[in-house]
Amino acid sequence: MVGVSLPLEIPKGTFFKAAEVCELVKVQPYVLRSWEGEFPELGVAKTAGGPRLYRRADIEQVMRIKHLLLVEGLTLAGARRKLQEELASAGPAVVEDFIGPVTRDRLSEIKRGLRSILDLLSPPQTDEEFSLHAPEAAPVSEAGSESEPDGGVPTRPSRASRNGSPERTAARKKRSA
């Protein structure tokens, strides 16, 4: 087919601009932008006010998408499904490509440390926590009641206790008179 090239060699470099990617892969810029929206795994670094930047893995992904669409004749949805299947089947191998063995070991060590902290902070679980019995009933009392002399029936507090001490009540009466 026209526009499909043999495997191409990606020049050395960390990041590539969209124009460079379009030139390498031989696609128009609007096509590349539409693929960014269709394939979320295409990790484009978008900086505020700066150009879109692509990594080497992104360029390889763009070449794979182009191959699936133009050579294999898949639709965008079919190409997306195929890439997701490939990613799922590659699973851990893909992760190992992104992080090295030293980083993976360090992350495992951090994970173990976090779990031990979580074990220290969580209360010990006993069999009592998992039993299904009704909680004990607490005595009912109203806030502000002084006592319940009539067999648990709350009584209303006296006026003096609501307004303060008797001396305070007398002082208020004197001022109002």
Side-chain angles (χ1 to χ4, degrees):
M1 267 199 170
V2 178
V4 178
S5 61
L6 297 172
L8 90 120
E9 190 173 319
I10 301 171
K12 290 185 179 182
T14 308
F15 292 105
F16 301 89
K17 293 180 180 177
E20 296 170 327
V21 175
C22 290
E23 187 178 316
L24 283 170
V25 183
K26 307 284 190 254
V27 296
Q28 294 293 320
Y30 72 90
V31 173
L32 185 60
R33 284 192 303 274
S34 71
W35 288 353
E36 289 174 16
E38 291 291 330
F39 299 93
E41 62 273 359
L42 192 59
V44 180
K46 296 178 184 174
T47 58
R52 289 178 167 84
L53 298 176
Y54 297 84
R55 301 171 302 202
R56 176 178 296 277
D58 297 325
I59 296 173
E60 292 170 356
Q61 186 80 2
V62 169
M63 291 181 348
R64 180 72 177 131
I65 292 167
K66 181 178 178 182
H67 177 80
L68 290 172
L69 296 174
L70 299 178
V71 175
E72 294 186 23
L74 296 175
T75 62
L76 286 173
R80 188 180 318 112
R81 272 194 303 272
K82 178 102 173 177
L83 289 172
Q84 287 173 343
E85 289 170 4
E86 290 173 0
L87 187 63
S89 65
V94 172
V95 172
E96 289 178 10
D97 290 345
F98 290 119
I99 61 171
V102 174
T103 306
R104 189 177 50 252
D105 292 342
R106 181 71 179 132
L107 287 173
S108 296
E109 182 181 322
I110 291 170
K111 186 177 177 181
R112 282 191 301 274
L114 290 172
R115 286 185 191 239
S116 66
I117 291 171
L118 183 63
D119 290 341
L120 288 172
L121 293 175
S122 63
Q125 295 182 351
T126 61
D127 292 337
E128 292 176 10
E129 291 182 42
F130 299 109
S131 63
L132 298 174
H133 56 75
E136 295 179 20
V140 178
S141 66
E142 286 187 24
S145 66
E146 291 181 4
S147 65
E148 300 174 2
D150 299 333
V153 177
T155 59
R156 186 172 179 185
S158 68
R159 183 175 202 161
S161 66
R162 284 193 311 238
N163 294 332
S165 66
E167 295 84 24
R168 211 170 176 189
T169 306
R172 279 192 200 132
K173 286 181 182 178
K174 207 180 225 186
R175 281 192 301 240
S176 64

